[in-house]
Amino acid sequence: MPEKEFPGIDARTPNAARIYNYFLGGKDNFGVDRAAAEVVLAMAPEVRVAAMENRAFLVRAVEYLAGDADVRQFVDIGSGIPAARPVHEVAQAIEPGARVVYVDNDPVVLVHSRALLGGRRGTAVVAGDARAPEAILDAPALTRLLDLDQPVAVVLIAVLHFVSGSDEPAEIVRRLLDRLPSGSHVVITHLSDGGVPDDPRIERSRALYNGGLHFRSRKRIEALFDGLDLVDPGVVGVGQWRGTAGGGVNGGGASWWLGGVGRKP
């Protein structure tokens, strides 16, 4: 049976967001995406576990923010295709009045997000690029839903490793939080070189994204939180942040995926 066609979505070309959706066990992908994902998994089978650990970290971080930190507003930048337990479901299960704005610059993601989230209470979908943080925070759909004079949690899950050094990812974080009040938070996960920058899997992964994937050292990832109060346990492997996972997916107790939550003092 041929793939169902959706307006504005190319079902013949693999798409990174739909491939990631497949890794997470989602159904918003096509045969061409699944084929591409299986090529990746044949080279690096740990990718699926890493994606799931990354998603589980997001859920735990949002639970902490909506619960212990008493945050009621979220901006999920680079949100991707909605997966199981998206930010608004997690937050609203704790605080029904929580509001979430989803932001992405991928037309495929925007089509899926608007179809799946349209009309959901306390949510909005905005077209935006992490490299233009002011435009995101000034978007009319965002300012209608959120009060930027009150604390906001900015979610940057698996986004900043697609930002080149010349675009200064740490500066992007600073510019976002400069616009937000004390008590705001940022949630970040980022691909790390795991202390082994010459690991051949890193170069294979970069090649799959035409060099647009940037593995950074732990020190550079920790620098993304400069000026913020790190929430315990700090910047750690995503499976270890208030979770129960052991060593990282690349073995040896290190992790390619580091994550943390910082609070603006």
Side-chain angles (χ1 to χ4, degrees):
M1 180 182 295
E3 299 280 8
K4 183 178 179 181
E5 294 289 338
F6 295 89
I9 295 180
D10 179 3
R12 298 180 295 264
T13 304
N15 174 270
R18 294 195 308 252
I19 291 170
Y20 189 68
N21 177 265
Y22 176 71
F23 289 149
L24 293 174
K27 300 183 183 302
D28 294 297
N29 48 71
F30 299 111
V32 65
D33 306 305
R34 296 188 284 274
E38 289 298 336
V39 171
V40 174
L41 291 170
M43 292 190 299
E46 66 272 17
V47 166
R48 173 166 276 147
V49 175
M52 291 182 174
E53 283 187 355
N54 193 54
R55 190 73 193 177
F57 163 89
L58 170 62
V59 170
R60 293 195 302 276
V62 173
E63 287 175 338
Y64 163 78
L65 290 165
D68 294 351
D70 203 31
V71 175
R72 299 292 177 258
Q73 305 184 111
F74 297 80
V75 180
D76 186 355
I77 300 175
S79 53
I81 295 171
R85 301 196 72 192
V87 171
H88 74 279
E89 288 187 5
V90 177
Q92 290 174 359
I94 296 169
E95 171 47 60
R99 289 156 286 161
V100 181
V101 175
Y102 294 97
V103 182
D104 212 291
N105 66 348
D106 185 336
V108 169
V109 170
L110 293 170
V111 169
H112 278 287
S113 296
R114 286 168 176 151
L116 294 169
L117 298 174
R120 296 293 179 94
R121 174 179 54 84
T123 70
V125 178
V126 169
D129 192 310
R131 293 167 294 188
E134 291 82 9
I136 291 173
L137 296 179
D138 289 335
L142 184 148
T143 57
R144 283 195 297 268
L145 187 64
L146 306 185
D147 177 0
L148 299 187
D149 291 327
Q150 298 298 317
V152 176
V154 177
V155 177
L156 292 161
I157 296 292
V159 174
L160 295 177
H161 50 236
F162 290 108
V163 175
S164 69
S166 62
D167 286 316
E168 300 181 346
E171 181 69 6
I172 288 171
V173 175
R174 185 193 65 77
R175 287 161 61 192
L176 282 163
L177 290 179
D178 275 355
R179 292 280 302 274
L180 302 175
S182 174
S184 293
H185 290 69
V186 65
V187 181
I188 298 172
T189 66
H190 195 297
L191 281 171
S192 165
D193 61 19
V196 190
D198 58 350
D199 189 313
R201 289 172 294 183
I202 290 178
E203 191 52 42
R204 288 202 301 268
S205 299
R206 284 175 48 80
L208 289 168
Y209 289 88
N210 298 316
L213 198 57
H214 304 278
F215 291 75
R216 294 186 168 97
S217 68
R218 169 181 286 275
K219 183 176 180 179
R220 290 192 174 185
I221 295 170
E222 289 174 339
L224 299 172
F225 295 92
D226 281 355
L228 305 176
D229 297 329
L230 275 172
V231 174
D232 187 63
V235 178
V236 295
V238 292
Q240 298 164 333
W241 197 89
R242 303 192 174 207
T244 58
V249 295
N250 61 334
S255 177
W256 283 0
W257 289 85
L258 297 181
V261 177
R263 180 186 184 275
K264 182 176 179 178

